[in-house]
Amino acid sequence: MLTRIDHIGIACFDLDKTVEFYRSTYGFEVFHSEINEEQGVREAMLKINDTSDGGASYLQLLEPTREDSAVGKWLAKNGEGVHHIAFGTADVDADAADIRGKGVRVLYDEPRTGSMGSRITFLHPKDCHGVLTELVTSAAEH
């Protein structure tokens, strides 16, 4: 069962400049940052608030580390902006299987490692009214 909006992913050309904008404009601070070599991104998670299920909601700022990464290709085509929405779940495997059973394409056969040690998968945007959708089980939940 999906429990919350885990994060909104925002693609950017310059992570440091974008972090500074969100810090100086809204007061959001970096909660976590990392480089995900598999996905070809450098990212910063800005914590917005805690949630009633023990999780949190974040903005995830994504800068590609290589042009051929999914985010790099997306930026080249679309420019900066909202890249995806992610919903939190206690069981990404079960929810992905349930959603797949409803005819929505799940992009990974097996969930992969995401931010902060989470387990993630994505749903095809063409099956989700044009929105790239991520399912996330936080590291604390698995």
Side-chain angles (χ1 to χ4, degrees):
M1 178 173 92
L2 305 180
T3 59
R4 68 185 179 282
I5 294 175
D6 185 85
H7 66 272
I8 306 294
I10 299 172
C12 61
F13 291 111
D14 184 329
L15 184 65
D16 297 327
K17 183 177 175 181
T18 307
V19 164
E20 178 54 26
F21 168 81
Y22 281 96
R23 189 201 60 72
S24 64
T25 304
Y26 305 117
F28 299 151
E29 297 294 337
V30 174
F31 178 80
H32 175 83
S33 61
E34 68 182 81
I35 295 174
N36 185 319
E37 295 293 344
E38 179 184 7
Q39 294 182 25
V41 294
R42 185 169 79 107
E43 66 178 77
M45 297 293 273
L46 303 142
K47 189 174 184 179
I48 307 306
N49 67 310
D50 293 312
T51 61
S52 62
D53 67 355
S57 293
Y58 303 91
L59 286 179
Q60 179 187 44
L61 306 179
L62 300 159
E63 175 190 67
T65 59
R66 56 182 198 270
E67 290 179 12
D68 69 339
S69 70
V71 172
K73 291 175 186 177
W74 191 89
L75 269 171
K77 181 179 177 182
N78 300 294
E80 293 184 306
V82 175
H83 179 262
H84 67 274
I85 186 168
F87 295 109
T89 172
D91 190 342
V92 69
D93 297 277
D95 282 331
D98 180 58
I99 292 168
R100 181 182 281 123
K102 294 174 182 173
V104 175
R105 287 174 281 180
V106 178
L107 298 183
Y108 304 152
D109 290 331
E110 295 291 324
R112 297 182 181 179
T113 301
S115 299
M116 301 182 286
S118 62
R119 296 185 73 237
I120 65 165
T121 196
F122 285 89
L123 309 178
H124 200 292
K126 289 184 179 177
D127 298 342
C128 299
H129 297 272
V131 179
L132 179 61
T133 304
E134 182 179 5
L135 304 178
V136 179
T137 296
S138 68
E141 292 176 307
H142 68 83

